[in-house]
Amino acid sequence: MKADGQKFISCTRIAEGLDLDPTSVRKDLAFTGIIGRPRIGYDLVELMEAIATFLGWRKSKEAFLVGAGDLGRALMGYQGFREHGLEIIAAFDKDPALIGQQIHGKEVLDVTSLSDLISRMGIFIGIIVTPAAVAQEVADTMVAGGIEAIWNFAPVRLVVPDTVIVENVELSASLSVLSSRLSDARKAPTEQ
Amino acid sequence: MKADGQKFISCTRIAEGLDLDPTSVRKDLAFTGIIGRPRIGYDLVELMEAIATFLGWRKSKEAFLVGAGDLGRALMGYQGFREHGLEIIAAFDKDPALIGQQIHGKEVLDVTSLSDLISRMGIFIGIIVTPAAVAQEVADTMVAGGIEAIWNFAPVRLVVPDTVIVENVELSASLSVLSSRLSDARKAPTEQ
DNA sequence: TAGATTGTTAATCGATTAACAATC
DNA sequence: TAGATTGTTAATCGATTAACAATC
């Protein structure tokens, strides 16, 4: 809409686009601190900025990624995370064949240096993209180095001190939701 | 626990492990139709089976994946989806350099044949792992072929007939949650 | 038997929705 | 002015939690 030259957006329109109740949208937007204008709506640029700030996109966040497999590569190559303030500084792996190589312009380092580099460089976000079997071990290493938050893609519930934030990405859970909805739809094909 | 030779599991224990209320666990498990035994708990194998069936893991689901980039490769290589009944039959791409190649033992086909193959092979799940710009186009092609459900990894809200199920994986949303929790934790370091 | 656990009803809590005055 | 929209209070709805009899 910004590209279309629009200056304002009403919660009515947002609600339509997202299939939500307009009141919900107003309540949620109120959290960002933005103030709209009756009859007009919200200033588009101001709203985008308010949301970005509220979600912490404006704070640049350096991160280390562990596990230089396909998924690790995919995350390193995705440009969209930049807009959210995330910068993946380096990848770590234990495979000697990978160490020293470059992936999407970032070096792959030896995982034995992970903890040390986290504390020395003051990195506070760790991304775990390893097989499940070693995820806890990697998490422990990150915690030892002083990590503050872990973005975990391994299908494991990590055990960490509760000062450390863990955000799990559960692809299998998403697949299960799809799978379950598909079963439901077939049971009651008339509805939905 | 099954590997440890345990035969029964109580919702009390499940609740502890997942940090939930035991009553919530009982209510949720009731949905699967399982019946527990007072004092004993639920039969472990029976429970695993009930959950698997409820979530549709027992129905094998053939899928086509579109977009043979890093993320597409990662999904094709991940064995865990098999346990949930998903089998990725083939990948599709428009890049001539990729077409004809094998990825994790599966062939990469020309995306121009996607719609035709979906209908001829009776495939009902499509996985979109393309750049955002072409995701809607791919979705349209899938719908034209008669797809029933789309697992969408592209950061786009797909527009499809409401008979088609769309399950979005929003990695950026997950990152935003992490980002936001990190901001909150720093505002109120005493709590949490 | 005593005590742990299930299944279920009732109470609480919070989120969503409805309603509406204020505003431009 | 009329009407669309915001901000906010009140009502509704559903999910979570508490309570407890039944059971093994």
Side-chain angles (χ1 to χ4, degrees), chain A residues 55-75:
Chain A
L55 293 177
W57 295 351
R58 287 290 171 269
K59 300 183 183 176
S60 85
K61 296 169 282 287
E62 295 180 331
F64 279 163
L65 178 148
V66 181
D70 284 326
L71 185 51
R73 285 185 144 74
L75 296 181

Side-chain angles (χ1 to χ4, degrees), chain A residues 81-111:
Chain A
F81 299 144
R82 278 264 173 87
E83 291 165 32
H84 300 357
L86 185 75
E87 192 177 357
I88 302 175
I89 298 289
F92 290 79
D93 207 292
K94 66 175 180 186
D95 182 351
L98 292 173
I99 295 166
Q101 287 199 358
Q102 298 255 324
I103 295 178
H104 293 289
K106 302 292 154 68
E107 196 150 6
V108 181
L109 304 171
D110 190 324
V111 75

Side-chain angles (χ1 to χ4, degrees), chain B residues 127-159:
Chain B
I127 307 176
I128 297 181
V129 208
T130 64
V134 298
Q136 181 61 55
E137 189 187 337
V138 170
D140 293 343
T141 307
M142 287 177 168
V143 169
I147 213 80
E148 287 180 37
I150 294 175
W151 199 17
N152 176 41
F153 287 75
V156 173
R157 295 218 151 226
L158 301 174
V159 180

Side-chain angles (χ1 to χ4, degrees), chain B residues 49-109:
Chain B
E49 187 56 35
I51 292 173
T53 302
F54 180 78
L55 293 177
W57 296 351
R58 287 291 172 266
K59 301 184 183 173
S60 84
K61 296 169 283 289
E62 294 182 330
F64 279 162
L65 177 148
V66 180
D70 285 325
L71 186 51
R73 285 185 143 77
L75 297 181
M76 296 184 78
Y78 182 55
Q79 294 305 310
F81 298 144
R82 277 263 173 87
E83 292 165 30
H84 300 358
L86 185 75
E87 193 176 357
I88 301 175
I89 298 289
F92 291 79
D93 207 291
K94 65 175 181 187
D95 182 352
L98 292 173
I99 295 166
Q101 286 199 358
Q102 299 256 324
I103 295 178
H104 293 289
K106 302 293 154 65
E107 196 151 6
V108 180
L109 304 172

Side-chain angles (χ1 to χ4, degrees), chain A residues 17-18 54-57 59 61 70-71 73-75 78 80-81 84 86 104 124-125 148-151 153 155 157 162-163 165-169 171-172 174-183 185-186 192, chain B residues 17-18 54-57 59 61 70-71 73-75 78 80-81 84 86 104 124-125 148-151 153 155 157 162-163 165-169 171-172 174-183 185-186 192:
Chain A
L18 268 52
F54 180 79
L55 293 177
W57 295 351
K59 300 183 183 176
K61 296 169 282 287
D70 284 326
L71 185 51
R73 285 185 144 74
L75 296 181
Y78 182 55
F81 299 144
H84 300 357
L86 185 75
H104 293 289
F124 51 86
I125 295 183
E148 287 180 37
I150 294 175
W151 199 17
F153 287 75
R157 293 217 152 226
D162 52 347
T163 49
I165 292 164
V166 176
E167 182 66 25
N168 294 298
V169 175
L171 294 184
S172 291
S174 171
L175 174 59
S176 291
V177 172
L178 180 77
S179 168
S180 179
R181 290 173 64 196
L182 205 45
S183 300
R186 287 174 168 189
Q192 119 97 274
Chain B
L18 269 53
F54 180 78
L55 293 177
W57 296 351
K59 301 184 183 173
K61 296 169 283 289
D70 285 325
L71 186 51
R73 285 185 143 77
L75 297 181
Y78 182 55
F81 298 144
H84 300 358
L86 185 75
H104 293 289
F124 51 85
I125 296 183
E148 287 180 37
I150 294 175
W151 199 17
F153 287 75
R157 295 218 151 226
D162 52 348
T163 49
I165 293 164
V166 175
E167 182 66 25
N168 294 297
V169 175
L171 294 184
S172 291
S174 171
L175 175 59
S176 292
V177 172
L178 180 77
S179 170
S180 178
R181 290 172 64 196
L182 205 46
S183 300
R186 287 172 168 191
Q192 123 97 274

